[in-house]
Amino acid sequence: MADYSKLSINQWTIMRQWSLPEAIEGYARHGIHAIGIVREKLREIGVAEARRLLRAHQMTVTGYCIGGLLTDSDPARFRANVAETRQAIDEAAALAAQCVVFVAGGLPAGSKDLPAAQARCLEGLADILPYAREAGVTLALEPLHPMTCAFRSCLSTLGQANSWIEQLRAGPELGIVVDVYHVWWDPQLARAIERAAGRIVAFHVCDWLMNTVDLRLDRGMMGDGVIDIPRIRRLVEETGYDGYREVEIFSERNWWRRDPNEVIAIAKARYLSDVIGDS
Ligand code: ZN
């Protein structure tokens, strides 16, 4: 029998097609029992109903998206995003999510001061970490590809994520997400993954299309692009990571337009093939 016990699918992959109840029921029908949940989708039904559905379908929540965006120079907006992240931590605790995916935030409008944005994000993290620790929730730093530095994430590499964790002297309440889409190009990748040993709490897979038409919303299905996923997976698992492989595909022109059952069937087939590595 095919083993999908470590396969998780992030809701972004079928973002345009399915609500959270449809996703939970749909995944279960396909024999998949792990999901990355998107906050906006959770809010459509609320935490209590989500918990009921997750329990009914024996679904593990591998990640909750997102917290963070802590780079704003306007104090009121900065505080609002800190409060939002705390709320995401509460929701993640209620869902027993394995982590809250933390996206740093980009440059505030009109600013060119990247070090200041990064310093504010570190301040915000320092402020929130005790709250996460208390809640028993891991905030997982997800470095995003440097092409998103201006508008989404001033945290661009795994090396930088390692340094932030060291600077903050954080405990298990702060971890790392390795997403192949964001880190595959990095010449320091092997060293950075090794240095992240014990901190990696999630592993996201998709592919980088050679002919990509949008830098954010045109990700490929595993096997359709240029990323050596088995190599990165091996590096991650050599650190001792034995968690889920979470399929996360933002795809305006292709996968978001397909029948979600077909998307899942293809993701399952690719998962078992050698484009991810031996299962
Ligand atoms: Zn990701």
Side-chain angles (χ1 to χ4, degrees):
M1 258 236 338
D3 181 7
Y4 299 110
S5 59
K6 294 262 177 89
L7 172 60
S8 174
I9 297 184
N10 189 291
Q11 262 196 292
W12 275 110
T13 307
I14 37 81
M15 190 66 174
R16 294 273 191 274
Q17 298 100 317
W18 273 347
S19 66
L20 183 53
E22 287 167 334
I24 292 171
E25 285 154 15
Y27 290 11
R29 239 180 7 253
H30 282 274
I32 294 165
H33 291 277
I35 183 169
I37 291 184
V38 175
R39 255 188 118 197
E40 293 73 12
K41 295 276 187 181
L42 177 95
R43 285 179 168 175
E44 294 170 4
I45 61 166
V47 171
E49 175 63 1
R51 276 166 59 103
R52 190 188 69 73
L53 287 167
L54 290 165
R55 212 171 26 241
H57 295 279
Q58 291 140 42
M59 199 69 63
T60 297
V61 181
T62 51
Y64 189 50
C65 306
I66 65 160
L69 309 179
L70 302 182
T71 51
D72 220 301
S73 51
D74 175 77
R77 279 202 300 268
F78 177 81
R79 279 197 304 274
N81 285 341
V82 167
E84 279 293 325
T85 302
R86 285 175 191 250
Q87 204 186 324
I89 289 168
D90 293 341
E91 290 157 0
L95 300 172
Q98 294 184 339
C99 65
V100 169
V101 173
F102 183 94
V103 174
L107 283 172
S111 170
K112 296 183 182 181
D113 194 344
L114 185 55
Q118 290 160 336
R120 269 193 302 279
C121 190
L122 273 166
E123 260 171 55
L125 269 171
D127 184 66
I128 288 167
L129 284 180
Y131 191 81
R133 195 180 311 135
E134 186 75 17
V137 169
T138 300
L139 279 179
L141 300 177
E142 182 167 17
L144 303 193
H145 193 286
M147 68 189 173
T148 71
C149 192
F151 62 91
R152 191 72 176 162
S153 177
C154 61
L155 176 64
S156 306
T157 67
L158 285 171
Q160 201 185 347
N162 286 323
S163 297
W164 282 18
I165 288 176
E166 283 163 18
Q167 260 173 273
L168 290 162
R169 296 178 201 281
E173 68 278 10
L174 192 57
I176 286 180
V177 183
V178 177
D179 184 327
V180 299
Y181 190 74
H182 295 299
V183 303
W184 68 277
W185 57 272
D186 184 350
Q188 307 298 326
L189 183 62
R191 174 76 196 95
I193 289 176
E194 198 187 332
R195 198 172 143 210
R199 292 282 185 184
I200 299 171
V201 294
F203 179 53
H204 294 176
V205 293
C206 68
D207 217 332
W208 184 284
L209 300 173
M210 180 61 90
N211 61 344
T212 187
V213 297
D214 184 295
L215 295 182
R216 252 190 97 225
L217 302 180
D218 190 38
R219 297 187 186 198
M221 179 66 70
M222 302 78 71
D224 288 348
V226 298
I227 302 178
D228 185 350
I229 301 172
R231 170 179 171 257
I232 301 176
R233 181 188 148 192
R234 209 162 40 244
L235 290 169
V236 166
E237 291 181 356
E238 276 168 10
T239 68
Y241 177 82
D242 67 350
Y244 287 85
R245 300 135 204 168
E246 182 171 329
V247 174
E248 184 186 46
I249 303 174
F250 299 60
S251 173
E252 196 73 81
R253 75 166 157 152
N254 187 2
W255 300 103
W256 286 351
R257 295 169 189 267
R258 306 270 282 259
D259 173 352
N261 290 297
E262 187 194 358
V263 176
I264 289 178
I266 294 171
K268 285 168 69 179
R270 299 291 174 89
Y271 176 81
L272 292 181
S273 74
D274 59 5
V275 297
I276 292 189
D278 300 328
S279 287

